[in-house]
Amino acid sequence: MPIRPEMRARYPRDWPQISRRIRFERAGGRCEYDGLCGRRHVSRCTAVHGEPHPVTGSRVVLTVAHLDDVPENCADDNLAAMCQACHLAYDAVLHARTAAWTRAARLVTPGQTAIPLVEGDPA
């Protein structure tokens, strides 16, 4: 998944090399995830980089997920090579929360006090 411009500074300079090593050396060009992403496969996903996805048919582009959602944490045990479908499923809760926060932020008039959606969210 492309890194959003506002997030780029949170990634190490050697992120392209780290990502390539995880996707192709460690994972062998295949999605590493085994259903913990929320999709319905019970063993390792069979999606292979550059091939049609076994479920969607779209061309697979492997991505690297930060399992703790912290881009600065690039420890090998915090990174997983995932096809787009597994990565989107794994990050679904995070994406929904970010989208809700973004929608709420658009409703705030300059000078108005924002009310956090959930405890811990920035207001």
Side-chain angles (χ1 to χ4, degrees), residues 34-49:
D34 59 4
L36 293 175
C37 60
R39 295 185 52 85
R40 294 194 175 137
H41 47 86
V42 293
S43 60
R44 185 174 173 187
C45 178
T46 59
V48 176
H49 182 77

Side-chain angles (χ1 to χ4, degrees), residues 9-61:
R10 295 185 65 191
Y11 286 78
R13 287 180 193 240
D14 62 343
W15 175 248
Q17 293 81 13
I18 294 169
S19 174
R20 192 173 305 110
R21 182 177 53 77
I22 296 296
R23 290 178 293 141
F24 300 112
E25 292 176 25
R26 187 177 84 186
R30 183 174 157 208
C31 182
E32 291 183 297
Y33 241 58
D34 59 4
L36 293 175
C37 60
R39 295 185 52 85
R40 294 194 175 137
H41 47 86
V42 293
S43 60
R44 185 174 173 187
C45 178
T46 59
V48 176
H49 182 77
E51 300 291 326
H53 191 278
V55 175
T56 67
S58 63
R59 186 175 64 87
V60 172
V61 176

Side-chain angles (χ1 to χ4, degrees), residues 103-115:
R103 284 191 301 275
R106 283 191 202 127
L107 298 175
V108 176
T109 303
Q112 177 182 359
T113 301
I115 299 172

Side-chain angles (χ1 to χ4, degrees), residues 27-108:
R30 183 174 157 208
C31 182
E32 291 183 297
Y33 241 58
D34 59 4
L36 293 175
C37 60
R39 295 185 52 85
R40 294 194 175 137
H41 47 86
V42 293
S43 60
R44 185 174 173 187
C45 178
T46 59
V48 176
H49 182 77
E51 300 291 326
H53 191 278
V55 175
T56 67
S58 63
R59 186 175 64 87
V60 172
V61 176
L62 282 184
T63 62
V64 175
H66 289 83
L67 301 178
D68 66 358
D69 298 322
V70 178
E72 294 87 352
N73 183 359
C74 293
D76 279 9
D77 63 351
N78 185 51
L79 302 175
M82 292 188 193
C83 66
Q84 308 98 306
C86 286
H87 199 156
L88 286 170
Y90 185 83
D91 284 347
V93 171
L94 176 67
H95 290 188
R97 188 174 180 193
T98 302
W101 186 85
T102 301
R103 284 191 301 275
R106 283 191 202 127
L107 298 175
V108 176

